[in-house]
Amino acid sequence: MGRILAIDYGTKRTGLAVTDPMQIIASGLTTVETKELITYLKTYVATEGVEKFVVGEPKQMDNTASESEVYIQKFLEKMVKEFPNIPIVRVDERFTSKMAFQTMIDSGLKKKQRQNKALVDEISATLILQSYLASNF
């Protein structure tokens, strides 16, 4: 079994989360500058053996695509070219940023630490991955 890697894509930063090799536990991995994301993923995939990508799908409350979906589609086209043998699954990511922020509050992080948007992105990716794992096992 390989790892499952979740991506919370953003135009500036992208949060990443990953499972253990047995695909049981979702953990935050890092946040990467989006312009360097493909390079980072190539290196990670080469060393860690990724079986599947889970990419957040931003939706409006009425279930229509969010404005950022245009950028995500362009990214997905690059992903398919770079990693043709790794399937990509989409997961609804509504409310993950709010849930990530609440998680930071609940875990006792100070206000200054909660302003770290990179950490919010990483936690959001972890929530996307946890959602995927919960719905598939």
Side-chain angles (χ1 to χ4, degrees):
M1 276 180 124
R3 297 176 186 273
I4 300 172
L5 192 141
I7 300 170
D8 180 30
Y9 186 87
T11 55
K12 295 179 183 177
R13 290 174 317 278
T14 297
L16 302 174
V18 68
T19 64
D20 60 293
M22 297 298 293
Q23 300 179 0
I24 298 170
I25 300 169
S27 302
L29 180 61
T30 190
T31 302
V32 177
E33 294 292 322
T34 299
K35 63 185 177 206
E36 297 172 19
L37 181 57
I38 294 291
T39 303
Y40 180 89
L41 291 174
K42 282 183 190 177
T43 302
Y44 190 84
V45 167
T47 58
E48 293 296 329
V50 173
E51 181 178 302
K52 185 180 296 177
F53 291 113
V54 175
V55 179
E57 184 174 16
K59 293 184 178 185
Q60 304 288 350
M61 290 304 296
D62 65 0
N63 220 28
T64 59
S66 170
E67 295 172 12
S68 58
E69 182 64 18
V70 173
Y71 304 106
I72 295 171
Q73 285 300 319
K74 290 178 184 176
F75 166 70
L76 291 174
E77 289 171 14
K78 291 179 190 173
M79 290 283 291
V80 169
K81 288 178 185 170
E82 292 294 336
F83 309 102
N85 299 320
I86 302 175
I88 300 169
V89 177
R90 302 296 303 277
V91 172
D92 187 344
E93 67 170 47
R94 278 180 282 197
F95 308 116
T96 55
S97 292
K98 287 181 183 176
M99 289 170 27
F101 191 74
Q102 187 61 47
T103 299
M104 294 169 80
I105 291 170
D106 294 346
S107 65
L109 292 179
K110 296 188 179 355
K111 186 175 182 179
K112 185 95 172 153
Q113 294 169 305
R114 294 192 309 258
Q115 292 172 340
N116 180 351
K117 296 202 185 301
L119 183 56
V120 173
D121 293 337
E122 184 179 326
I123 294 171
S124 294
T126 306
L127 292 169
I128 290 167
L129 186 52
Q130 287 174 336
S131 173
Y132 173 79
L133 292 172
S135 67
N136 287 283
F137 292 104

